[in-house]
Amino acid sequence: MIDPAISTGAARIAARERDVSQAYRAGFAPESNDVAVATQKLPSADPLAVVAPEGTYFVTPAGNGAVQFSRDGGFAVRDGELRTADGRPVLGVAFGGRAALTPLRVDPYDAALGHASEPRIDADGTFSYARTTIDPRNGDRRVERVAVGRIALARFPAGTQPERADGVHVRAPHGVAPH
C-alpha cells in the first residue's frame, strides 16, 4: 500500500511536469497556482492576435452544447468564421442580430464572392473586415469596413477557480455561472 503523502507528492510532481511541458503554449493556464505569473504583453503585427484583459476568458463552444473558456487570443479566419488556434469558433454578439452568443462569421455572400479581406479585431473587441465592391455603372472601386460583431469575454466570480478542460481551455465549476 502506498503512503498517501507519497501519492500526493507524486501527483504534485506530475502536475508540475504538465505545467513545464505546456509552458510556451499560447493561452496555457498552469495547474499550479504558485507558478502562475502575470502575462507579458508583446506587440504583434497580426491584426487578429489579441490579449484578453486580466481575469477574463474568450468564450468558445464545447462539443456537448456547453461553452468553454480560453485565454488564447491567436485567432484566424477559416471558411469565413473567426476561430481559435485549435479551430473552435469564437463566440460573440453579432451586430444587428440577437443578444445571444453566436459564432462570429463574415457575411457568406462576401466570403463566396471574395469581397472580404483584411480581417481585424479592434481594441474594443469588434471583429471586422474590409469589403471591396465595384460600382457597375462607372467601375469605381470602393472599400468599406464591415463590423461583424464584438467578441464575448467571460469573468468568473471572485475567488472562483475554473476547472481545467485541457491545456488551454477551462470550464465553469458546477453551480457557478460566469459573467
Side-chain angles (χ1 to χ4, degrees):
M1 188 154 160
I2 298 176
D3 183 9
I6 293 174
S7 176
T8 302
R12 288 179 46 215
I13 290 170
R16 299 252 197 270
E17 178 185 6
R18 288 189 296 275
D19 285 349
V20 169
S21 68
Q22 299 289 325
Y24 293 102
R25 186 172 178 188
F28 173 71
E31 291 182 46
S32 307
N33 287 340
D34 60 344
V35 298
V37 295
T39 57
Q40 181 180 3
K41 297 174 187 168
L42 300 173
S44 172
D46 183 0
L48 294 176
V50 294
V51 176
E54 192 64 37
T56 63
Y57 297 85
F58 300 110
V59 184
T60 62
N64 58 2
V67 293
Q68 289 185 342
F69 309 95
S70 172
R71 299 266 314 149
D72 186 0
F75 302 134
V77 176
R78 292 188 205 115
D79 299 324
E81 190 169 58
L82 185 65
R83 294 184 173 265
T84 61
D86 62 355
R88 294 182 185 201
V90 177
L91 299 181
V93 178
F95 293 137
R98 303 174 313 193
L101 294 181
T102 182
L104 297 176
R105 56 178 53 104
V106 171
D107 181 86
Y109 296 113
D110 288 341
L113 295 172
H115 292 293
S117 62
E118 301 175 25
R120 74 174 184 217
I121 299 171
D122 295 326
D124 66 350
T126 300
F127 170 55
S128 65
Y129 63 93
R131 175 190 293 156
T132 305
T133 58
I134 299 174
D135 188 339
R137 292 174 288 213
N138 57 16
D140 287 345
R141 177 176 285 241
R142 255 187 24 205
V143 178
E144 61 185 3
R145 295 282 329 155
V146 177
V148 175
R150 187 165 288 143
I151 295 173
L153 292 174
R155 181 183 306 269
F156 294 102
T160 302
Q161 183 66 32
E163 297 175 355
R164 298 175 59 81
D166 57 40
V168 176
H169 298 92
V170 296
R171 57 182 161 255
H174 183 70
V176 175
H179 302 288

